[in-house]
Amino acid sequence: MNRDHVLMGVVGRPHGVRGLVHVHSYTAVAEDLATYDGLVDDLGRPWRLSWHGNGIARLHDAAGHAIDSREAAQQMVNRKLYVPRASLPEPDEDEFYFADLVGLEAREQGTDRVVGRVAAVHDYGAGTSLEIDGPGGNILLPFTEGCVPVVNVGAGWIAICQPDEIEVPVECFPGTAGQGDAP
């Protein structure tokens, strides 16, 4: 999709045999995904969504025909759902859409040294992280105020602070404590 659309959800696995699917909504209130006009998939095809339970939905195509079989629902798995940016409210001064972060230059905090560019924003449920693609490879950085203290979407950059060292206590890895000790 292009910059005129914002990723708002992803179709998951089928639910049952009558065409219902699990849908992961990226809206603040999941049910709001069904209220947006102009919902399109990553192939540009228009859809309308109606909820049938917690995270369970039915998809209707542009002609109003619903997906009505498990096989048709299976073909929609991992299909991304986008909304036109124009139908979304403008973010406040200190807010932004994650889609706006992709492509921003990542600079080391306090310097002009460019580390790379934001390649992707990931959220697997335990917190959001930024994937920074740079000449030395990719960096996965927690998207926290401590690691990303400045976001300047208008100027096209973010400031980052990479953790110097991460210590993981040995007790986090069962079976490793006392290695090398005689039984």
Side-chain angles (χ1 to χ4, degrees):
M1 282 273 88
N2 57 39
R3 286 274 209 215
D4 295 332
H5 285 80
V6 176
L7 178 65
M8 297 297 280
V10 176
V11 178
R13 68 185 191 284
H15 178 80
V17 296
R18 298 198 172 139
L20 295 175
V21 292
H22 290 265
V23 175
H24 181 74
S25 174
Y26 297 141
T27 58
V29 177
E31 293 77 20
D32 288 351
L33 184 59
T35 66
Y36 289 107
D37 290 329
L39 190 66
V40 296
D41 66 15
D42 38 9
L43 300 175
R45 297 184 309 189
W47 294 96
R48 187 175 51 81
L49 180 135
S50 59
W51 293 106
H52 288 260
N54 189 17
I56 309 296
R58 180 171 308 283
L59 292 170
H60 304 263
D61 65 15
H65 300 110
I67 291 179
D68 60 1
S69 71
R70 183 173 183 86
E71 292 75 24
Q74 183 64 40
Q75 292 179 3
M76 294 297 294
V77 172
N78 294 326
R79 190 69 46 94
K80 293 180 172 91
L81 301 172
Y82 296 86
V83 175
R85 183 179 292 274
S87 67
L88 298 172
E90 279 298 315
D92 290 335
E93 184 177 324
D94 61 339
E95 295 180 333
F96 38 84
Y97 292 111
F98 286 165
D100 294 336
L101 298 175
V102 176
L104 294 183
E105 188 175 82
R107 299 178 184 172
E108 191 173 273
Q109 172 70 11
T111 72
D112 286 332
R113 188 173 85 80
V114 176
V115 177
R117 291 198 174 273
V118 178
V121 179
H122 302 286
D123 189 347
Y124 299 113
T128 305
S129 59
L130 300 180
E131 183 178 337
I132 311 290
D133 187 21
N138 285 6
I139 301 167
L140 197 57
L141 195 63
F143 189 46
T144 62
E145 192 172 338
C147 290
V148 186
V150 179
V151 176
N152 193 332
V153 173
W157 60 271
I158 61 172
I160 64 170
C161 293
Q162 297 183 60
D164 291 332
E165 184 176 319
I166 298 174
E167 292 185 28
V168 179
V170 172
E171 58 269 10
C172 290
F173 299 99
T176 59
Q179 280 186 346
D181 294 341

Coordinates of all heavy atoms in Angstrom, one line a residue, residues 91-143:
P91 N -3.3 13.2 14.0 CA -2.8 13.0 15.4 C -2.4 14.3 16.0 O -2.1 15.3 15.4 CB -1.5 12.1 15.1 CG -1.2 12.3 13.7 CD -2.4 12.7 13.0
D92 N -2.4 14.3 17.4 CA -2.0 15.5 18.1 C -0.5 15.7 17.9 O 0.2 14.9 17.4 CB -2.3 15.3 19.6 CG -3.8 15.3 19.9 OD1 -4.5 15.9 19.1 OD2 -4.2 14.7 20.9
E93 N 0.0 16.8 18.4 CA 1.4 17.2 18.2 C 2.3 16.1 18.7 O 3.4 15.9 18.1 CB 1.6 18.5 19.0 CG 3.0 19.1 18.7 CD 3.2 20.4 19.4 OE1 2.3 21.2 19.4 OE2 4.4 20.6 19.9
D94 N 2.0 15.5 19.8 CA 2.9 14.5 20.4 C 2.5 13.1 20.1 O 3.0 12.1 20.7 CB 3.1 14.7 21.9 CG 1.7 14.5 22.6 OD1 0.7 14.7 22.0 OD2 1.8 14.3 23.9
E95 N 1.6 12.9 19.1 CA 1.2 11.6 18.6 C 1.5 11.4 17.2 O 1.8 12.4 16.5 CB -0.3 11.5 18.8 CG -0.8 11.5 20.3 CD -2.3 11.3 20.4 OE1 -3.0 11.7 19.5 OE2 -2.7 10.8 21.5
F96 N 1.5 10.2 16.7 CA 1.7 9.9 15.3 C 1.3 8.5 15.0 O 1.1 7.7 15.9 CB 3.2 10.0 15.0 CG 4.1 9.5 16.1 CD1 4.4 8.1 16.2 CD2 4.6 10.3 17.0 CE1 5.1 7.7 17.3 CE2 5.3 9.9 18.1 CZ 5.6 8.5 18.2
Y97 N 1.1 8.2 13.8 CA 0.7 6.8 13.4 C 2.0 6.0 13.2 O 3.0 6.6 12.6 CB -0.1 6.8 12.1 CG -1.5 7.4 12.3 CD1 -1.8 8.7 11.8 CD2 -2.4 6.8 13.1 CE1 -3.1 9.2 12.0 CE2 -3.7 7.3 13.3 CZ -4.0 8.5 12.8 OH -5.2 9.1 13.0
F98 N 2.0 4.8 13.6 CA 3.2 3.9 13.4 C 3.6 3.9 11.9 O 4.8 3.9 11.6 CB 3.0 2.5 13.9 CG 2.9 2.4 15.4 CD1 2.4 1.3 16.0 CD2 3.4 3.4 16.2 CE1 2.4 1.1 17.3 CE2 3.4 3.3 17.6 CZ 2.9 2.1 18.2
A99 N 2.7 4.0 11.0 CA 3.0 4.0 9.6 C 3.9 5.1 9.2 O 4.7 5.1 8.3 CB 1.7 4.0 8.7
D100 N 3.8 6.2 10.0 CA 4.6 7.4 9.7 C 6.0 7.3 10.1 O 6.9 8.0 9.7 CB 4.0 8.7 10.4 CG 2.6 9.0 9.8 OD1 2.4 8.7 8.6 OD2 1.8 9.7 10.5
L101 N 6.3 6.3 11.0 CA 7.7 6.1 11.5 C 8.5 5.4 10.4 O 9.7 5.6 10.4 CB 7.7 5.2 12.7 CG 6.9 5.9 13.9 CD1 6.9 4.9 15.1 CD2 7.6 7.2 14.3
V102 N 7.9 4.5 9.6 CA 8.7 3.7 8.6 C 9.3 4.7 7.6 O 8.6 5.5 7.1 CB 7.8 2.7 7.9 CG1 8.5 1.9 6.8 CG2 7.2 1.7 9.0
G103 N 10.6 4.5 7.5 CA 11.4 5.4 6.5 C 12.1 6.5 7.2 O 12.9 7.2 6.6
L104 N 11.7 6.8 8.5 CA 12.4 7.9 9.1 C 13.9 7.6 9.4 O 14.2 6.5 9.7 CB 11.7 8.2 10.5 CG 10.3 8.8 10.4 CD1 9.8 9.1 11.8 CD2 10.2 10.0 9.5
E105 N 14.7 8.6 9.3 CA 16.1 8.5 9.6 C 16.3 8.3 11.1 O 15.6 9.0 11.9 CB 16.8 9.7 9.1 CG 18.3 9.7 9.2 CD 18.9 10.9 8.5 OE1 19.0 12.0 9.2 OE2 19.2 10.9 7.3
A106 N 17.1 7.4 11.5 CA 17.4 7.1 13.0 C 18.8 7.7 13.2 O 19.8 7.3 12.7 CB 17.4 5.7 13.3
R107 N 18.8 8.7 14.1 CA 20.1 9.4 14.5 C 20.4 9.1 16.0 O 19.5 9.0 16.8 CB 19.9 10.9 14.4 CG 19.6 11.4 13.0 CD 19.4 12.9 13.0 NE 19.0 13.3 11.7 CZ 18.6 14.6 11.5 NH1 18.6 15.5 12.4 NH2 18.3 14.9 10.2
E108 N 21.7 9.0 16.2 CA 22.1 8.8 17.6 C 21.8 10.0 18.4 O 22.1 11.1 18.0 CB 23.6 8.5 17.6 CG 24.2 8.0 18.9 CD 25.6 7.6 18.7 OE1 25.9 6.4 18.4 OE2 26.5 8.4 19.0
Q109 N 21.2 9.9 19.6 CA 20.8 11.0 20.4 C 22.0 11.9 20.7 O 23.1 11.4 21.1 CB 20.2 10.5 21.7 CG 19.9 11.5 22.8 CD 18.8 12.4 22.4 OE1 18.0 12.2 21.4 NE2 18.6 13.5 23.1
G110 N 21.8 13.2 20.6 CA 22.9 14.1 20.9 C 23.9 14.3 19.8 O 24.8 15.2 20.0
T111 N 23.8 13.6 18.7 CA 24.8 13.8 17.6 C 24.0 13.8 16.3 O 22.8 13.6 16.3 CB 25.8 12.6 17.5 OG1 25.1 11.4 17.0 CG2 26.4 12.3 18.8
D112 N 24.7 14.1 15.2 CA 24.0 14.0 13.9 C 24.3 12.7 13.2 O 24.0 12.5 12.0 CB 24.5 15.2 13.0 CG 23.8 16.5 13.4 OD1 22.7 16.4 14.0 OD2 24.4 17.5 13.2
R113 N 25.0 11.7 13.9 CA 25.4 10.4 13.3 C 24.1 9.6 13.0 O 23.3 9.3 13.8 CB 26.3 9.7 14.3 CG 26.8 8.4 13.6 CD 27.8 7.7 14.5 NE 27.3 6.8 15.5 CZ 26.9 5.6 15.2 NH1 27.0 5.1 14.0 NH2 26.4 4.8 16.1
V114 N 24.0 9.3 11.7 CA 22.9 8.5 11.2 C 23.2 7.0 11.4 O 24.2 6.5 10.9 CB 22.6 8.8 9.7 CG1 21.5 7.9 9.2 CG2 22.2 10.3 9.6
V115 N 22.3 6.3 12.1 CA 22.5 4.9 12.4 C 21.8 4.1 11.3 O 22.3 3.0 11.0 CB 21.9 4.6 13.8 CG1 22.0 3.1 14.1 CG2 22.6 5.4 14.9
G116 N 20.7 4.6 10.8 CA 20.0 3.9 9.7 C 18.6 4.5 9.5 O 18.4 5.7 9.8
R117 N 17.7 3.7 9.0 CA 16.3 4.1 8.8 C 15.4 3.1 9.5 O 15.7 1.9 9.5 CB 16.0 4.2 7.3 CG 16.7 5.4 6.7 CD 16.1 5.7 5.3 NE 16.7 6.9 4.8 CZ 16.4 8.2 5.1 NH1 15.4 8.4 5.9 NH2 17.0 9.2 4.6
V118 N 14.2 3.6 9.9 CA 13.2 2.7 10.4 C 12.7 1.8 9.3 O 12.1 2.3 8.3 CB 12.1 3.5 11.1 CG1 11.0 2.5 11.6 CG2 12.6 4.3 12.2
A119 N 12.9 0.5 9.4 CA 12.4 -0.4 8.3 C 11.1 -0.9 8.6 O 10.3 -1.2 7.7 CB 13.4 -1.6 8.2
A120 N 10.7 -1.1 9.9 CA 9.4 -1.7 10.3 C 9.1 -1.3 11.8 O 10.1 -1.1 12.6 CB 9.4 -3.2 10.1
V121 N 7.9 -1.4 12.1 CA 7.4 -1.3 13.5 C 6.8 -2.6 13.8 O 5.9 -3.1 13.1 CB 6.4 -0.1 13.6 CG1 5.9 0.0 15.1 CG2 7.0 1.2 13.2
H122 N 7.2 -3.2 14.9 CA 6.7 -4.5 15.3 C 5.9 -4.4 16.7 O 6.4 -3.6 17.5 CB 7.8 -5.5 15.5 CG 8.6 -5.7 14.3 ND1 8.1 -6.4 13.2 CD2 9.9 -5.3 13.9 CE1 9.1 -6.4 12.2 NE2 10.1 -5.8 12.7
D123 N 4.8 -5.1 16.8 CA 4.1 -5.1 18.1 C 3.6 -6.5 18.2 O 2.6 -6.9 17.6 CB 3.0 -4.1 18.2 CG 2.5 -4.0 19.6 OD1 2.7 -4.9 20.4 OD2 1.7 -3.0 19.9
Y124 N 4.3 -7.3 19.0 CA 3.8 -8.7 19.2 C 3.1 -8.9 20.5 O 2.9 -10.0 21.0 CB 5.1 -9.6 19.2 CG 5.8 -9.6 17.8 CD1 7.1 -9.0 17.8 CD2 5.2 -10.0 16.7 CE1 7.8 -8.9 16.6 CE2 5.9 -9.9 15.5 CZ 7.1 -9.4 15.4 OH 7.8 -9.3 14.2
G125 N 2.7 -7.8 21.1 CA 1.9 -7.9 22.3 C 2.6 -7.5 23.6 O 2.0 -7.2 24.6
A126 N 3.9 -7.6 23.6 CA 4.7 -7.3 24.8 C 5.3 -5.9 24.8 O 6.1 -5.5 25.6 CB 5.8 -8.3 25.0
G127 N 5.0 -5.1 23.8 CA 5.5 -3.8 23.6 C 6.0 -3.6 22.2 O 6.3 -4.5 21.5
T128 N 5.9 -2.4 21.8 CA 6.3 -2.0 20.4 C 7.8 -1.9 20.3 O 8.5 -1.4 21.2 CB 5.6 -0.7 20.0 OG1 4.2 -0.8 20.2 CG2 5.9 -0.4 18.5
S129 N 8.3 -2.3 19.1 CA 9.8 -2.2 18.9 C 9.9 -1.7 17.4 O 9.1 -1.8 16.6 CB 10.5 -3.5 19.1 OG 10.0 -4.5 18.2
L130 N 11.1 -1.0 17.2 CA 11.4 -0.5 15.9 C 12.6 -1.3 15.3 O 13.5 -1.6 16.0 CB 11.9 1.0 16.0 CG 10.9 2.0 16.6 CD1 11.5 3.4 16.6 CD2 9.6 2.0 15.8
E131 N 12.4 -1.6 14.1 CA 13.5 -2.3 13.4 C 14.3 -1.2 12.6 O 13.7 -0.6 11.7 CB 13.0 -3.4 12.4 CG 14.0 -4.2 11.7 CD 13.4 -5.3 10.9 OE1 12.3 -5.7 11.1 OE2 14.1 -5.7 9.9
I132 N 15.5 -1.0 12.9 CA 16.3 0.0 12.3 C 17.3 -0.7 11.3 O 18.1 -1.5 11.8 CB 17.2 0.8 13.3 CG1 16.3 1.3 14.5 CG2 17.9 2.0 12.6 CD1 15.3 2.4 14.1
D133 N 17.2 -0.4 10.1 CA 18.1 -1.0 9.1 C 19.3 0.0 8.8 O 19.1 1.1 8.4 CB 17.3 -1.2 7.8 CG 18.1 -2.0 6.7 OD1 19.1 -2.6 7.1 OD2 17.7 -1.9 5.5
G134 N 20.5 -0.5 9.1 CA 21.6 0.4 8.9 C 22.8 -0.3 8.2 O 22.6 -1.5 7.9
P135 N 23.9 0.3 8.0 CA 25.0 -0.3 7.3 C 25.6 -1.5 8.0 O 26.1 -2.4 7.4 CB 26.0 0.9 7.1 CG 25.5 2.0 8.0 CD 24.1 1.7 8.3
G136 N 25.5 -1.5 9.3 CA 26.0 -2.6 10.1 C 25.0 -3.7 10.3 O 25.3 -4.7 11.1
G137 N 23.9 -3.6 9.7 CA 22.8 -4.6 9.9 C 21.6 -4.0 10.6 O 21.5 -2.8 10.7
N138 N 20.7 -4.9 11.0 CA 19.5 -4.4 11.6 C 19.6 -4.4 13.1 O 20.3 -5.2 13.7 CB 18.3 -5.3 11.2 CG 17.8 -5.1 9.8 OD1 18.4 -4.4 9.1 ND2 16.7 -5.8 9.5
I139 N 18.9 -3.4 13.7 CA 18.9 -3.2 15.1 C 17.4 -3.3 15.5 O 16.6 -2.7 14.9 CB 19.4 -1.8 15.6 CG1 20.8 -1.6 15.1 CG2 19.3 -1.7 17.1 CD1 21.3 -0.2 15.3
L140 N 17.1 -4.1 16.5 CA 15.7 -4.1 17.0 C 15.7 -3.3 18.4 O 16.4 -3.7 19.3 CB 15.3 -5.5 17.2 CG 13.8 -5.8 17.4 CD1 13.0 -5.2 16.2 CD2 13.5 -7.2 17.6
L141 N 15.0 -2.2 18.4 CA 15.0 -1.3 19.5 C 13.7 -1.2 20.2 O 12.7 -0.9 19.5 CB 15.5 0.0 19.0 CG 16.0 1.1 20.0 CD1 17.3 0.6 20.7 CD2 16.4 2.3 19.2
P142 N 13.6 -1.3 21.5 CA 12.2 -1.1 22.1 C 11.8 0.4 21.8 O 12.6 1.3 21.9 CB 12.5 -1.2 23.6 CG 13.8 -1.9 23.7 CD 14.6 -1.6 22.5
F143 N 10.5 0.5 21.5 CA 10.0 1.8 21.3 C 9.5 2.4 22.6 O 8.3 2.5 22.9 CB 8.9 1.8 20.2 CG 8.4 3.1 19.7 CD1 9.3 4.1 19.4 CD2 7.1 3.4 19.6 CE1 8.9 5.3 18.9 CE2 6.6 4.6 19.1 CZ 7.6 5.6 18.8

